[in-house]
């Protein structure tokens, strides 16, 4: 009996011939559903259908049900497309949209005349070639000439409200979502079209320490935020401020996931590389640190500035632009581990941004705008008093509100802080730029080709200190983070201003063109 029991515990050998090695039946295996395999049931049903023939209607119905189940499984398998098939489908849809736009534009221009397929193919090839040149930075997109003058009803509308002045705003790569942060540590995530806002909640101190944050210097950790940046894939949001840490957030869950420590001063600026998880942070300790948000690791540290770093902007993962209070702007070439130093005649540079890989824009605390070229160490074009605080007519109207001395109005005390260019932005790869101060307007600029200068385009009224600006990739709207106080201090106050994020829609000619 013992050998027979051992033999029963072993797995039965596979059948070699007819009548040998039978599978356990349902009676011997019990009611275990494991042995009731679906293919066996289907074979049984198929056998019944064959035996019944044309005389059995029930068999026909049963065979139809079996075929239906197989068809559903085949459809499910077909629905599961691979990554290559998905890319191919999206490419075809993209080409179809561009082809439709080209046909509509040619139909409007030719007054309904039919064009040959060769002409439409040539036009489509020209559009694709132009888009490739613009995206690669070898050709500048002409966008400023297409911006229509704002109407009387057009203006800034607040899409998100904050209790304290907004210090930073950022847009996602497709410009459908926005992010903002304020001095009281509130982080908002809002939809551009619907205006729906969602708030990020700070974790407890215990959770922050578990996420590799160092203990605060005081009893309570400061949540004062100075900088904000979002990755190109829209997965990560980085914030930095007075607690000397870079905090990494998950955009999908709006939860804190990591804290980077290493700076010895407040983190004043942040920037993600284009299409890269690499994050750059600038601080009052005069250093720039490079991080990897995907791996959540420290990579490199850059030194060169002799003053507090205020603003940074990244064009790609290997090009970085920074300004500091040492009256210099640095262009960092990350792979080469080199830098170009541009010296400004102003007292201090406050902000900067890339126009393309060859030209840059900066604003200073004396109210001037500087246009730079990679071929020169000094500005190629300077616009002084780009944001005048008070005009002679407004001086007369505000005569009673300003302090007087010897019967004359002292406008210097008002215009010294309100005319600082506190924010600049551009639609990268185009000729459209914007600048903001506290004089009550956001000014749009046209960047002329070949470093010939820039010309004012339109003035968009907005009260308060414009601490941050962002232009949509489509060029159809501009976002401003405003407050009653400046971003880095409290040396000015606009009591009539609101703290929040304001958006201004821009109307473009040939709006059907795919940008």
């Amino acid at each position: 009996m013992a050998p027979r029991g051992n033999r029963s515990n072993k797995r039965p050998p596979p059948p070699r011939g007819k009548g040998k090695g039978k599978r356990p039946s349902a009676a011997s295996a019990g009611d275990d559903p494991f042995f009731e395999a679906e293919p066996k049931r289907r074979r049984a049903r198929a056998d019944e259908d064959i035996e019944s023939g044309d005389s059995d209607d029930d068999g026909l119905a049963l065979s139809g049900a079996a075929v239906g189940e197989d068809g559903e499984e085949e459809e499910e398998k077909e629905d599961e497309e691979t990554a290559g098939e998905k890319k191919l489908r999206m490419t075809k849809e993209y080409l179809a949209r561009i082809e439709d736009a080209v046909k509509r534009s040619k139909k409007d221009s030719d007054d309904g005349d039919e064009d040959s397929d060769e002409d439409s193919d040539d036009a489509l090839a020209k559009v694709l070639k132009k888009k490739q040149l613009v995206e690669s930075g070898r050709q500048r997109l002409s966008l400023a000439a297409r911006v229509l003058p704002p109407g009387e009803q057009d203006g800034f509308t607040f899409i998100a409200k904050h209790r304290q002045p907004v210090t930073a705003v950022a847009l996602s790569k497709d410009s459908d979502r926005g992010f903002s942060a304020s001095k009281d540590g509130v982080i908002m995530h809002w939809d551009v079209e619907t205006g729906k806002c969602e708030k990020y909640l700070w974790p407890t101190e215990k959770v922050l320490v578990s996420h590799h944050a160092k203990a605060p210097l005081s009893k309570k950790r400061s949540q004062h935020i100075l900088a904000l940046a979002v990755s190109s894939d829209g997965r990560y949001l980085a914030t930095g401020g007075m607690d000397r840490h870079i905090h990494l957030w998950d955009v999908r869950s709006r939860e804190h996931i990591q804290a980077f420590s290493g700076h010895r001063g407040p983190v004043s600026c942040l920037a993600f590389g284009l299409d890269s998880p690499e994050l750059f942070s600038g601080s009052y300790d005069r250093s720039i640190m490079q991080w990897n948000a995907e791996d959540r690791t420290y990579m490199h540290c850059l030194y060169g500035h002799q003053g507090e770093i205020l603003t940074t902007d990244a064009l790609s993962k290997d090009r970085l632009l920074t300004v500091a209070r040492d009256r210099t702007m640095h262009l960092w070439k990350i792979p080469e581990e080199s830098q170009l130093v541009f010296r400004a005649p102003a007292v201090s540079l406050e902000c900067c941004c890339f126009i393309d890989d060859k030209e840059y824009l900066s604003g200073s605390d004396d109210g001037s705008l500087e246009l730079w070229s990679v071929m020169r160490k000094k500005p190629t074009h300077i616009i002084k008093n780009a944001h005048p605080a008070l005009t002679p007519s407004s001086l007369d109207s505000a005569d009673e509100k300003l302090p007087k001395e010897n019967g004359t109005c002292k406008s210097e005390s008002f215009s010294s802080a309100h005319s600082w260019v506190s924010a600049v932005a551009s639609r990268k790869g185009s000729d459209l730029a914007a600048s903001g101060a506290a004089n009550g307007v956001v000014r749009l600029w046209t960047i002329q080709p070949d470093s010939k200068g820039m010309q004012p385009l339109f003035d968009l009224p907005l009260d308060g200190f414009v601490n941050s600006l962002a232009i949509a990739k489509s060029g159809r709207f501009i976002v401003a983070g405003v407050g009653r106080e400046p971003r880095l201090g409290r040396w000015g106050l606009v009591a009539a201003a609101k703290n929040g994020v304001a958006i201004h829609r821009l109307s473009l000619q040939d709006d059907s063109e795919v940008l």
Side-chain angles (χ1 to χ4, degrees), residues 30 51 77 87 230 256 316 345 447 494:
E51 292 174 0
K77 291 181 180 179
K87 288 182 179 180
V230 61
H256 188 278
S316 61
I447 308 298
V494 180

Side-chain angles (χ1 to χ4, degrees), residues 87-263:
K87 288 182 179 180
L88 181 61
R89 176 178 57 81
M90 295 178 66
T91 303
K92 290 181 179 179
E93 293 176 355
Y94 176 72
L95 290 176
R97 288 198 304 268
I98 296 182
E99 189 175 3
D100 292 341
V102 170
K103 289 181 179 179
R104 287 197 303 268
S105 62
K106 291 186 71 63
K107 184 178 180 180
D108 296 339
S109 61
D110 297 342
D111 297 331
D113 294 340
E114 295 183 359
D115 296 326
S116 61
D117 295 338
E118 295 181 358
D119 294 340
S120 60
D121 292 342
D122 293 342
L124 179 61
K126 290 180 180 179
V127 171
L128 293 176
K129 183 178 180 180
K130 181 181 177 181
K131 290 178 68 63
Q132 195 275 335
L133 292 175
V134 169
E135 292 178 358
S136 63
R138 288 179 288 176
Q139 182 177 343
R140 182 173 293 176
L141 178 65
S142 180
L143 188 60
R146 297 174 51 208
V147 179
L148 298 176
E152 296 181 356
Q153 303 297 329
D154 297 336
F156 277 99
T157 57
F158 281 84
I159 194 172
K161 296 181 180 180
H162 288 259
R163 293 184 178 180
Q164 293 294 324
V166 176
T167 56
V169 295
L171 291 173
S172 59
K173 186 178 180 180
D174 51 4
S175 302
D176 62 342
R177 295 177 298 173
F179 306 86
S180 59
S182 58
K183 288 186 176 182
D184 56 356
V186 175
I187 305 171
M188 301 285 287
H189 174 187
W190 32 271
D191 188 270
V192 173
E193 296 297 332
T194 62
K196 181 181 178 181
C197 296
E198 296 175 348
K199 186 178 178 181
Y200 286 63
L201 299 178
W202 282 89
T204 61
E205 182 63 28
K206 185 177 180 180
V207 174
L208 288 175
V209 172
S210 66
H211 291 172
H212 306 286
K214 293 185 177 179
L217 299 177
S218 58
K219 294 182 179 179
K220 186 177 180 182
R221 183 181 299 273
S222 175
Q223 295 182 354
H224 187 153
I225 299 176
L226 296 176
L228 186 80
V230 61
S231 60
S232 297
D233 57 1
R235 295 177 55 191
Y236 301 107
L237 177 69
T239 61
M242 300 299 292
D243 66 342
R244 306 180 181 183
H245 286 75
I246 298 102
H247 297 278
L248 198 64
W249 305 77
D250 189 344
V251 174
R252 293 167 293 186
S253 61
R254 302 192 305 278
E255 293 181 354
H256 188 278
I257 56 177
Q258 184 73 19
F260 296 130
S261 61
H263 283 293

